[in-house]
Amino acid sequence: MSETTVSDRRPDAEKKGRKASKEVRRQQLIDATIDSLAKRGYAETTLADVADGAGLSRGIVNFHFESKEKLLVATLQFMSEEYAAHWRAALDKAGEDPARQLWALCAADFDRAVCNRRKLAAWCAFWGEAKSRPTYQALCGSRDQTYQNVLVDICTRLRDQGGYAIEPRATALAINAMLEGLWLRLMMSTEEVSRETAFAAAAEMLSATFPKHFAREAGGKIKPA
């Protein structure tokens, strides 16, 4: 049996290196797009801004994405997938208890990894364009529905455990709307709202809706019972 030489392996190694380099460049451009959206907004973001922010040439941007619209779609897809992976990981760590699952989902929404001024501003830029851009709606719609379905399932189990007089689907929608509203308040940078106070506000709603499952401790903080 002949031995594989270094020269035999080199083409594969070079191919992997080129692939890795391409992925790194794409991510640099996506990160720079998020920065530009946060700084300039949707309409004022240009391919030149993104190229400058990434420290790359305009030609590199065109090579990877061809147009501003394709770059923005890729950026929205990245942010959507990042957010979905984040809440799914939190849900998995919470175990099977519905109260701890709901608590974990709310806490995940205010984790610095996804909840920071840079990304909140980029999300708001996309939200402002979504109504007139079906591509954006389609990209996020299925993932939003998956998240909503998870909330409905959790609310249904909490209702059955606690005997609450609630309608699970409406309650899940209200919780989702509350979380989105708190994100908007954070994006507006009002001094009285921080990630910590926003999460505390969410906890108050959970306690008011499911009092048997979320209780106030001696120190005043609300925790899953």
Side-chain angles (χ1 to χ4, degrees), residues 35 55 61 70 93 143 151 153 162 202:
D35 289 338
V61 183
K70 289 185 178 181
K93 291 180 181 178
R143 292 188 178 89
L151 284 179
D153 176 68

Side-chain angles (χ1 to χ4, degrees), residues 44-80:
E44 298 301 319
T45 289
T46 67
L47 292 180
D49 294 327
V50 173
D52 290 343
L56 300 171
S57 70
R58 173 72 178 274
I60 292 292
V61 183
N62 289 329
F63 173 76
H64 286 288
F65 294 104
E66 298 180 1
S67 68
K68 174 182 173 179
E69 182 60 21
K70 289 185 178 181
L71 173 58
L72 289 168
V73 168
T75 300
L76 177 57
Q77 183 171 8
F78 165 76
M79 293 177 63
S80 180

Side-chain angles (χ1 to χ4, degrees), residues 20 83 89 113 126 165 177 198:
Y83 177 73
F126 281 119

